[in-house]
Amino acid sequence: MTVVIGFEGSANKIGVGIIRDGEVLSNPRRTYITPPGQGFLPSDTARHHRAVVLTVLKEALDQAGLQPADIDCVAYTKPGMGAPLVTVALVARTVAQLWGKPLLGVNHCIGHIEMGRLITRANNPTVLYVSGGNTQVIAYSERRYRIFGETIDIAVGNCLDRFARVLKQISNDPSPGYNIEQMAKGSQYVELPYTVKGMDVSFSGILSYIEEAAHRLLTSDQCTAEDLCFSLQWQETLFSMLVEITERAMAHCGSQEVLIVGGVGNLRLQEMMAVMCEERGAKLFATDEFCIDNGAMIAQAGWEMFRSGQVTELEDSWVTQYRTDEVEVTWRP
Amino acid sequence: MHLTQELELFPDVRVTQLLFKEVKNAAELRQSAVDGKINGALINPTMLVDPFQVLVAANKAVCFQKNGKMKTRALSSEIIFNLSPTNKISDAFKRFGISDGDDCVMVVVVQDKSETPCFDDIVSKVDGCQIPVKDISLLSDHMKIKKLYKVTPQEEKCGTLLDAVVSRMATKDVL
Amino acid sequence: MAVPEFLSTAELLKQGAEARVYRAQFLGKPAIVKERFPKRYRHSVLDEKLTHRRTVQEVRSILRCRKAGIPAPVVYFVDYTSNCIFMEEILRSTTVRDHIVGAQQSDAGNDVELRLLAQRVGQTLAKMHDEDVIHGDLTTSNMLLRRGPQDKESELVLIDFGLSYISALPEDKGVDLYVLEKAFLSTHPNTELVFEELLKSYAASSKRSPAVIKKLEEVRLRGRKRSMVG
């Protein structure tokens, strides 16, 4: 039996999860929510995380009914927004030393992928990873999670957030993407830039276009009704691009499975992806509640890594920015 | 002597090419075509590289006819139009149709499978000597063709003159 | 409609992301038919516009390449109603992808050969960019090696211009190379040196390459520096 505790806090969510051999024992989480029209600043987010991290940790242990002595390894998330990340890493390092347990830095994206594989039992999926800071199409080959496609400028979540800020009235609770989806009930089609380059996408053109157009609509007072269908078109276009590059990567790799992970993986995206999969005779896996950043996903990837003999020495446990494909996957054939 | 081919996209359609040299009544033939007395397209063979070129033009003409998208009024004029690298109908006729003084002619007949193939009528109307369609290369004027289709020497490095000609014919509507 | 009936009897070679590719006889010649079928996940208006635009862009870019002496399949016929392109089948050919995979498996002296191939790809792409054609989907699967008659050197043929467009901007050319770089290195692990050779020969083959290479470096850096938040 191997028990791993995972700390996540690379963006506005802080979570601690405990995994025992594929079983989620606990997974409490808090989200730092900013007022509508505002993004989350690193220093404020770090302050939020600092205030709640110990409470969340205690919840995780209590809900799992475990003592620190029962834990085999302490895993923490790695790349992300600097200040909040440091907060979480500091707590992880401290408890690892207090409890005398090995420490393990876990790539955030790999956390999403391994959690997705655990929950959905997808064997070797093409992964679409969509979140506030990342938009990547990933497939496993020769000991790496290789990035076949990605955004060449801004991430899809970032794009949605900035759009939400343009409209000002969209709430950040639970996320702008979720609320845009709730508002997207229009039906009139407005053509927006559509930029696919090979297996990559670009969102900056569409964002500047919509920023300009939304401004025009807002100032000419024809907004509320219009922005609803607007947001629909906006997502239709954005998500079409994502589904297209996923399908391109599948065709390229000969893959018949898709897994959507990350906070932007909402229902409309899943629906569109499902249509694509059906047309190709492929299978779609979505992780629903575990899509959003959480501690268990870090614990799960940590569990795989720990079992394959990886640990992070204390002196190496600084916080770094590194890409998913830099990690050697020692736990998969 | 003549060459009859089936269009894969339209299995009911037959395209027949008949080639003549030493033609003495080009003016009369042209007039018959204008009057609708010849059921075929009269083409200047010096502008043709290969029978395939004619087939490409005929296939496109039949397809556009079925879709109601022809640029000209009749199938035979559409074939002539399709041979041209440009979208100007008058240019196409000037270059690819026959002129009164011409001494050779390619006749292209598009027929339904159900019609009995009979070309005696055409052969009897042409005062000239029918030759095998594959001999078209003996009549083609490569210099003139290259000039009209604007074929560059570098293009000929990656393909034949026929390739260059056909590429332009196939894509001219979106250039 | 004639085309769908025709395709129902043709040999389906593969279903790519946006098109089905068939092999068939067309006007008596061996041909490839690329059919862009509707993608139901996209809004129908968006889908129709994209499909038509890509069909048009594909034939335009092919013609532009051929005019410049860059081998690409000859287009025989385009049906804009069914969004099908009928083109020459590149006979006696393998994809560069299969060629590299094969060369990597048989390890006898392939290093020199792969580098020569990389040089040729670099030269061809430089020539294409000098014509302001941006391929838009450069991968080793979208390049074919056609064996010449007898011992003649095989020829590099570019295919699949569906995402292509015309642009003179170094940024667009840089992104074109960036797309290739990622596809190349993720498809063929441990070929960093081969790709370096490709870029070197690209740089040496075009007078306009310095600005493009500079943009490529910028785009790469954007990827590295991008915030990993969330």
Side-chain angles (χ1 to χ4, degrees):
Chain A
M1 254 182 357
T2 305
V3 181
V4 178
I5 188 167
F7 288 81
E8 164 57 39
S10 58
N12 67 336
K13 317 240 175 357
I14 172 139
V16 181
I18 300 176
I19 290 262
R20 180 175 61 204
D21 298 345
E23 186 189 349
V24 181
L25 298 182
S26 62
N27 198 18
R29 173 175 62 201
R30 298 282 190 285
T31 304
Y32 172 54
I33 292 172
T34 50
Q38 276 180 35
F40 48 93
L41 294 169
S43 56
D44 297 343
T45 312
R47 195 172 306 126
H48 167 266
H49 289 6
R50 272 201 300 277
V52 299
V53 61
L54 293 179
T55 317
V56 179
L57 170 59
K58 188 165 183 306
E59 269 177 36
L61 286 167
D62 290 350
Q63 282 169 21
L66 295 181
Q67 300 296 315
D70 302 324
I71 306 286
D72 294 301
C73 173
V74 177
Y76 68 99
T77 191
K78 278 221 316 220
M81 190 183 257
L85 209 57
V86 169
T87 306
V88 174
L90 189 71
V91 174
R93 272 203 299 261
T94 308
V95 299
Q97 288 179 84
L98 271 175
W99 301 342
K101 304 293 181 187
L103 189 64
L104 194 48
V106 170
N107 178 284
H108 178 81
C109 171
I110 291 179
H112 276 297
I113 297 173
E114 291 305 339
M115 195 67 194
R117 290 181 65 222
L118 171 71
I119 298 295
T120 65
R121 301 279 157 202
N123 175 40
N124 186 20
T126 298
V127 180
L128 174 64
Y129 173 35
V130 277
S131 68
N134 285 285
T135 304
Q136 295 179 333
V137 181
I138 299 164
Y140 177 76
S141 137
E142 302 204 24
R143 309 234 121 192
R144 303 272 163 170
Y145 281 113
R146 295 182 195 272
I147 301 169
F148 281 83
E150 64 188 313
T151 169
I152 58 166
D153 36 56
I154 56 173
V156 62
N158 191 306
C159 193
L160 287 168
D161 290 355
R162 283 165 68 177
F163 171 61
R165 263 173 263 162
V166 170
L167 282 194
K168 292 199 176 73
Q169 73 213 65
I170 292 177
S171 164
N172 286 337
D173 185 9
S175 73
Y178 175 83
N179 290 308
I180 290 172
E181 183 177 33
Q182 300 314 302
M183 286 176 70
K185 310 288 185 224
S187 58
Q188 185 201 324
Y189 178 75
V190 181
E191 198 182 4
L192 298 172
Y194 185 103
T195 319
V196 167
K197 293 169 188 284
M199 287 177 270
D200 289 341
V201 282
S202 155
F203 295 124
S204 63
I206 189 170
L207 180 66
S208 40
Y209 180 90
I210 205 146
E211 278 174 345
E212 192 274 325
H215 181 71
R216 205 167 0 101
L217 287 174
L218 283 165
T219 49
S220 60
D221 224 22
Q222 41 173 307
C223 186
T224 19
E226 239 68 5
D227 54 3
L228 300 180
C229 59
F230 226 66
S231 35
L232 170 78
Q233 305 323 329
W234 160 253
Q235 283 206 20
E236 290 297 305
T237 307
L238 274 182
F239 289 175
S240 291
M241 288 160 62
L242 293 177
V243 176
E244 176 169 357
I245 60 165
T246 306
E247 189 173 12
R248 285 180 170 272
M250 289 172 80
H252 187 78
C253 303
S255 160
Q256 286 289 65
E257 290 180 338
V258 181
L259 173 65
I260 306 178
V261 300
V264 183
N266 76 14
L267 288 176
R268 180 61 189 137
L269 178 60
Q270 287 180 28
E271 226 172 75
M272 290 165 71
M273 197 67 88
V275 172
M276 180 276 280
C277 285
E278 198 193 314
E279 281 176 349
R280 302 188 64 79
K283 248 187 113 169
L284 170 67
F285 299 91
T287 47
D288 297 324
E289 56 168 322
F290 290 104
C291 248
I292 300 160
D293 292 352
N294 63 85
M297 66 183 222
I298 301 303
Q300 174 58 18
W303 185 89
E304 294 275 16
M305 292 169 77
F306 183 66
R307 299 260 297 196
S308 72
Q310 291 195 39
V311 285
T312 307
E313 295 305 327
L314 192 62
E315 55 267 31
D316 296 332
S317 67
W318 63 75
V319 177
T320 48
Q321 304 291 350
Y322 65 123
R323 284 166 62 89
T324 313
D325 51 6
E326 287 170 44
V327 180
E328 186 176 4
V329 179
T330 50
W331 58 95
R332 280 186 67 172
Chain B
M1 287 276 224
H2 62 260
L3 173 68
T4 299
Q5 285 159 296
E6 184 184 294
L7 297 178
E8 294 91 340
L9 288 181
F10 311 97
D12 296 340
V13 176
R14 298 265 184 283
V15 177
T16 301
Q17 303 181 47
L18 304 100
L19 184 59
F20 301 87
K21 64 172 186 181
E22 293 160 21
V23 175
K24 296 180 188 71
N25 61 339
E28 188 189 323
L29 288 171
R30 207 177 58 82
Q31 192 54 50
S32 306
V34 171
D35 299 342
K37 286 182 195 149
I38 289 184
N39 183 26
L42 303 183
I43 299 165
N44 171 3
T46 63
M47 297 306 292
L48 299 176
V49 187
D50 188 282
F52 183 69
Q53 186 183 353
V54 173
L55 207 55
V56 167
N59 175 75
K60 189 170 170 180
V62 172
C63 184
F64 278 41
Q65 186 188 39
K66 305 235 179 216
N67 292 336
K69 293 204 169 139
M70 287 209 301
K71 301 283 194 313
T72 64
R73 261 176 274 166
L75 194 64
S76 50
S77 52
E78 191 74 9
I79 294 173
I80 294 174
F81 173 70
N82 287 345
L83 286 167
S84 169
T86 72
N87 288 305
K88 278 173 100 174
I89 297 174
S90 57
D91 275 4
F93 278 92
K94 209 162 88 196
R95 308 289 179 193
F96 294 89
I98 59 165
S99 311
D100 291 352
D102 284 358
D103 62 356
C104 52
V105 62
M106 169 76 94
V107 185
V108 182
V109 182
V110 177
Q111 279 182 309
D112 203 85
K113 203 176 177 178
S114 56
E115 294 172 59
T116 5
C118 175
F119 308 108
D120 294 352
D121 177 51
I122 286 167
V123 174
S124 68
K125 277 190 176 115
V126 181
D127 179 7
C129 166
Q130 192 180 6
I131 58 170
V133 172
K134 65 172 171 45
D135 288 350
I136 187 80
S137 55
L138 303 174
L139 301 177
S140 36
D141 183 340
H142 284 209
M143 290 299 283
K144 221 166 74 184
I145 292 169
K146 281 181 203 174
K147 200 174 153 216
L148 184 72
Y149 284 93
K150 300 198 176 82
V151 181
T152 58
Q154 54 198 10
E155 182 172 2
E156 284 187 275
K157 272 191 239 155
C158 74
T160 61
L161 179 58
L162 177 65
D163 290 342
V165 165
V166 165
S167 301
R168 282 165 178 74
M169 286 167 47
T171 59
K172 71 167 177 174
D173 14 21
V174 292
L175 294 180
Chain C
M1 250 312 292
V3 174
E5 279 160 36
F6 171 72
L7 291 180
S8 67
T9 64
E11 177 194 354
L12 179 66
L13 288 184
K14 68 163 190 172
Q15 172 159 347
E18 60 154 358
R20 295 191 193 99
V21 179
Y22 300 87
R23 177 190 280 137
Q25 284 285 310
F26 181 67
L27 306 180
K29 288 192 192 284
I32 292 293
V33 187
K34 185 168 177 179
E35 179 200 25
R36 286 194 165 77
F37 53 93
K39 307 302 292 181
R40 285 192 299 115
Y41 66 81
R42 281 199 284 248
H43 191 286
S44 59
V45 178
L46 170 65
D47 190 57
E48 274 163 38
K49 281 193 176 178
L50 273 181
T51 304
H52 183 257
R53 190 188 306 154
R54 288 177 177 180
T55 305
V56 168
Q57 279 166 337
E58 175 147 27
V59 296
R60 275 187 193 152
S61 297
I62 286 179
L63 186 64
R64 194 151 173 150
C65 280
R66 290 192 58 90
K67 280 183 177 172
I70 303 162
V74 180
V75 176
Y76 295 148
F77 175 57
V78 187
D79 181 30
Y80 299 100
T81 313
S82 59
N83 291 298
C84 285
I85 302 176
F86 294 70
M87 57 195 141
E88 172 193 14
E89 179 182 5
I90 307 297
L91 299 166
R92 303 181 316 275
S93 69
T94 45
T95 62
V96 168
R97 177 182 179 160
D98 288 347
H99 184 85
I100 294 177
V101 169
Q104 283 194 311
Q105 275 162 1
S106 69
D107 43 19
N110 58 50
D111 236 42
V112 181
E113 206 256 311
L114 279 188
R115 284 181 178 218
L116 282 173
L117 172 63
Q119 284 170 13
R120 223 158 45 197
V121 174
Q123 284 160 9
T124 306
L125 297 184
K127 206 163 156 190
M128 180 184 81
H129 280 174
D130 277 349
E131 294 299 319
D132 294 338
V133 173
I134 312 299
H135 185 283
D137 189 17
L138 288 173
T139 65
T140 49
S141 308
N142 288 341
M143 301 171 190
L144 302 179
L145 277 174
R146 168 160 55 189
R147 287 183 296 284
Q150 284 110 40
D151 290 340
K152 247 187 83 185
E153 205 185 39
S154 57
E155 183 184 43
L156 188 73
V157 184
L158 299 181
I159 59 167
D160 227 332
F161 286 80
L163 296 182
S164 68
Y165 57 100
I166 307 298
S167 165
L169 294 178
E171 163 88 17
D172 290 328
K173 295 172 186 176
V175 170
D176 218 18
L177 293 179
Y178 178 68
V179 163
L180 174 64
E181 178 173 61
K182 286 203 311 153
F184 200 108
L185 298 179
S186 53
T187 312
H188 310 290
N190 312 316
T191 50
E192 284 78 6
L193 290 176
V194 178
F195 194 79
E196 215 171 276
E197 195 73 34
L198 188 157
L199 285 183
K200 249 193 259 166
S201 110
Y202 177 95
S205 311
S206 165
K207 272 190 258 126
R208 288 190 263 167
S209 66
V212 177
I213 299 291
K214 198 168 150 252
K215 280 289 173 191
L216 168 64
E217 281 159 7
E218 272 177 42
V219 178
R220 273 185 194 147
L221 217 59
R222 260 182 248 161
R224 295 282 127 74
K225 276 189 178 165
R226 194 174 307 127
S227 143
M228 300 288 170
V229 176

